[in-house]
């Protein structure tokens, strides 16, 4: 059984020094012992820097990485989320199974290098270009499963239900044909995924009704009620004001209000964005135990708005972070931007805490996002304690603006002072996947990614 000796580590009780972490053959943590300074024996690996749990990325659309940096020109004076979506649909159309494999493989390596050890793929690119299902209905989902397994990232794959173009029940647009999945198709995908994912300790399968725009709330309720307990259910909700307005026009209720009233929303749920919510909706989400899936970089990139985080935390709400459109891959930057959005709106500082709390904002952000992300993805990660998976980051003091920082100051320096990724080594399920900043497959994966991008643009 391998053992690590870390100079310091973030444990559930807080930072501890000289921490020995024993790892079981199945990749879980067997024992954690702080204050170990005596003779160690040779089977103990000495770790070079502070150790924190690997971050969960609870919301990603892998294929959108192909358009990162390519949707930043104003082509229309009324450029908006909705014109971006048209460009995104064009990118989606060019992604076949082999392109998705190449994009996701390199993407998951980039995520690992940035400090994400578990990713949630909100996956809706199900069908072939003409809208017909592949012979294996989970062909595209399985590409994500194999990409994650091949690079060593943990994955919760969330196949998406996608049934209509809008609240008015309009049929899918031609550009949405590849997304089409009703309840029957979703069940077929789930069935096939069970085969692709057998024996894995790092794979979970959930489901994702795309949004109340794309799935009637009655269907959301039926699907959720039919699933085994503990299945992760993710849904995009209240991201853009137009969605809120359309929902009110069609149903008389705001999207979060409608969802909370009509669906069995509880701790297995993750509400992605939930940007435009009032105090009642905010309190209802917090009381339900559902996790808010916040994607600050994408929400800024798309002009969505700012989630009321301080109020939500004060109400007892839980959140995690997601890289969503994969415009950038950096959990440190996601958390920095999350806090800075609050500062810009409120004209105050240090806001990502319960209103009565004081203390390190960086540490509060990192710990809250770990807990919310692990819950939302249904994965035994985010905690350095026996029984949890050994998903760990070793931070690099040479890359911290404050090289002598200790305890919570380390996370403040990494999140707020960061110009370089502070991650040196990354372990997932007891295996080193990134060492000294590099992943063994990165050069080959990069070449395949570049080749896929070139095929897509010619
Ligand atoms: C998505 N992304 O599913 O990729 C969405 C855009 C939509 C974000 N909302 C499409 N960030 O919402 O219809
Ligand atoms: Zn999304």
């Amino acid at each position: 059984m391998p053992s690590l000796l870390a100079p310091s580590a973030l444990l559930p009780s807080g930072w501890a020094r000289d921490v020995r972490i024993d790892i079981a053959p199945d990749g879980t943590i067997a024992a954690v012992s702080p204050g170990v300074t005596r003779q160690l024996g040779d089977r103990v690996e000495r770790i070079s820097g502070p150790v924190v749990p690997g971050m969960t990325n609870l919301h990603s659309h892998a294929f959108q990485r192909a358009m990162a940096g390519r949707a930043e020109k104003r082509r229309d004076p009324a450029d908006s989320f909705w014109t971006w979506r048209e460009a995104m649909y064009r990118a989606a159309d060019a992604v076949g199974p082999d392109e998705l494999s190449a994009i996701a493989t390199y993407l998951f390596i980039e995520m690992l290098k940035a400090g994400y050890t578990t990713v949630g793929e909100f996956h809706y690119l199900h069908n072939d270009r003409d809208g017909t299902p592949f012979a294996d209905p989970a062909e595209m989902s399985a590409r994500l499963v194999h990409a994650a397994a091949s690079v060593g990232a943990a994955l919760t794959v969330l196949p998406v239900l996608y049934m209509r173009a809008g609240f008015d029940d309009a049929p899918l647009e031609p550009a949405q044909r590849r997304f089409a999945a009703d309840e029957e198709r979703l069940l077929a995908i789930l069935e096939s995924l069970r085969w692709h994912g057998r024996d894995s300790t790092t794979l979970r399968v959930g489901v994702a009704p795309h949004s109340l725009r794309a799935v009637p709330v009655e269907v959301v309720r039926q699907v959720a009620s039919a699933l085994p307990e503990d299945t992760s259910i993710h849904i995009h909700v209240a991201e853009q004001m137009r969605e809120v307005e359309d929902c009110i026009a069609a149903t008389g209720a705001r999207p979060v209000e409608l969802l909370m009233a009509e669906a069995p929303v509880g701790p297995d749920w993750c509400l992605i964005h939930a940007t435009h919510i009032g105090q009642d909706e905010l309190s209802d989400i917090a009381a339900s135990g559902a996790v808010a899936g916040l994607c600050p970089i994408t929400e800024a990139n798309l002009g969505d708005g700012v989630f009321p985080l301080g109020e939500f935390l004060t109400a007892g709400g839980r959140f995690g972070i997601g890289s969503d459109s994969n415009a950038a891959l950096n959990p440190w930057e996601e958390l920095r931007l999350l806090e800075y959005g609050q500062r810009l709106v409120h004209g105050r500082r240090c806001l990502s805490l319960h209103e009565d709390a004081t203390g390190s904002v960086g540490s509060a952000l990192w710990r809250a996002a770990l807990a919310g992300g692990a819950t939302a993805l249904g994965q035994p990660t985010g905690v350095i304690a026996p029984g949890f998976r050994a998903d760990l980051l070793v931070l690099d003091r040479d890359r911290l603006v404050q090289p002598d920082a200790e305890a919570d100051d380390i996370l403040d320096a990494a999140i707020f002072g960061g110009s370089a990724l502070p991650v040196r080594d990354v372990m997932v399920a007891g295996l080193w996947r990134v060492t000294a900043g590099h992943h063994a497959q990165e050069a080959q994966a990069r070449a395949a990614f570049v080749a896929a991008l070139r095929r897509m643009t010619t």
Side-chain angles (χ1 to χ4, degrees):
M1 191 161 72
S3 296
L4 315 176
L5 184 67
S8 62
L10 179 59
L11 305 183
S13 52
W15 283 90
R17 284 186 186 263
D18 302 313
V19 180
R20 176 173 163 152
I21 303 169
D22 298 320
I23 298 167
D26 67 355
T28 61
I29 296 171
V32 178
S33 330
V36 174
T37 47
R38 61 198 151 67
Q39 195 54 42
L40 293 162
D42 17 294
R43 299 220 41 222
V44 176
E45 185 182 351
R46 282 180 180 278
I47 300 302
S48 64
V51 172
V52 297
M55 185 47 70
T56 36
N57 179 358
L58 58 61
H59 188 71
S60 160
H61 306 285
F63 77 86
Q64 290 176 17
R65 183 64 175 157
M67 62 184 291
R70 298 193 69 219
E72 309 301 336
K73 274 175 209 70
R74 189 201 271 184
R75 297 181 202 281
D76 173 344
D79 205 295
S80 70
F81 174 93
W82 304 99
T83 54
W84 169 85
R85 194 174 80 153
E86 284 163 24
M88 185 272 279
Y89 283 0
R90 286 193 293 277
D93 195 45
V95 178
D98 291 342
E99 286 73 33
L100 185 62
S101 291
I103 295 165
T105 300
Y106 187 58
L107 173 72
F108 295 154
I109 289 176
E110 288 190 276
M111 286 184 190
L112 288 169
K113 290 172 69 171
Y116 290 121
T117 45
T118 303
V119 54
E121 271 294 325
F122 194 110
H123 173 68
Y124 57 89
L125 203 49
H126 298 307
N127 305 319
D128 210 342
R129 294 183 67 175
D130 61 1
T132 54
F134 289 100
D136 173 355
E139 171 79 46
M140 296 293 267
S141 307
R143 297 301 183 120
L144 298 172
V145 168
H146 295 300
S150 73
V151 304
L155 171 70
T156 296
V157 62
L158 301 146
V160 168
L161 264 172
Y162 205 110
M163 299 168 62
R164 61 179 188 180
F167 286 101
D168 58 358
D169 259 336
L172 295 179
E173 296 163 16
Q176 297 169 326
R177 276 190 301 236
R178 298 195 63 189
F179 317 157
D182 58 11
E183 296 148 275
E184 199 183 312
R185 182 78 57 78
L186 181 74
L187 287 177
I189 293 170
L190 293 174
E191 184 55 39
S192 168
L193 273 177
R194 262 189 274 283
W195 184 84
H196 286 284
R198 65 197 188 288
D199 299 338
S200 172
T201 58
T202 52
L203 177 73
R204 297 282 183 284
V205 179
V207 299
H210 181 274
S211 53
L212 294 174
R213 268 180 282 139
V215 185
V217 74
E218 310 78 62
V219 178
V220 176
R221 179 177 55 231
Q222 281 158 25
V223 168
S225 311
L227 289 168
E229 253 189 75
D230 292 349
T231 307
S232 301
I233 305 174
H234 290 217
I235 184 168
H236 290 124
V237 69
E239 178 179 15
Q240 281 277 325
M241 277 310 294
R242 190 205 285 184
E243 178 192 325
V244 176
E245 288 153 13
D246 290 354
C247 186
I248 293 173
T251 70
R254 301 166 59 85
V256 169
E257 202 181 4
L258 180 67
L259 186 68
M260 301 306 295
E262 301 293 330
V265 176
D268 300 325
W269 288 65
C270 183
L271 308 192
I272 306 298
H273 310 303
T275 311
H276 300 286
I277 52 176
Q279 188 61 43
D280 288 349
E281 292 168 296
L282 179 156
S283 307
D284 286 350
I285 299 172
S288 74
V291 174
L294 309 179
C295 311
I297 295 174
T298 296
E299 289 158 8
N301 186 284
L302 299 180
D304 289 339
V306 178
F307 179 83
L309 184 63
E311 293 90 326
F312 185 63
L313 293 172
T314 298
R318 318 179 62 196
F319 76 92
I321 53 166
S323 62
D324 191 353
S325 66
N326 296 312
L329 298 165
N330 188 326
W332 317 90
E333 187 185 340
E334 294 286 359
L335 293 170
R336 180 168 63 229
L337 186 56
L338 182 57
E339 164 67 22
Y340 283 177
Q342 309 300 311
R343 295 187 192 187
L344 289 165
V345 167
H346 295 286
R348 289 168 45 214
R349 302 185 72 252
C350 299
L351 292 163
S352 301
L353 300 167
H354 185 288
E355 65 182 4
D356 298 331
T358 55
S360 157
V361 176
S363 174
L365 283 165
W366 192 262
R367 298 176 76 153
L370 285 175
T375 301
L377 297 180
Q379 298 255 3
T381 186
V383 184
I384 301 178
F388 288 86
R389 200 166 55 217
D391 297 348
L392 307 172
L393 312 181
V394 180
L395 303 185
D396 187 344
R397 287 194 172 277
D398 291 341
R399 288 167 164 255
L400 288 183
V401 62
Q402 301 293 341
D404 302 326
E406 289 299 344
D408 286 347
D409 293 355
I410 294 170
L411 287 166
D412 285 335
I415 291 171
F416 295 102
S419 44
L421 283 171
V423 180
R424 183 183 158 84
D425 308 307
V426 181
M427 172 180 276
V428 184
L431 298 173
W432 292 115
R433 298 300 188 171
V434 173
T435 48
H438 292 288
H439 188 286
Q441 285 142 261
E442 68 185 36
Q444 192 193 343
R446 167 87 189 166
F449 170 75
V450 171
L453 288 186
R454 291 187 180 143
R455 284 200 300 280
M456 286 171 60
T457 47
T458 49

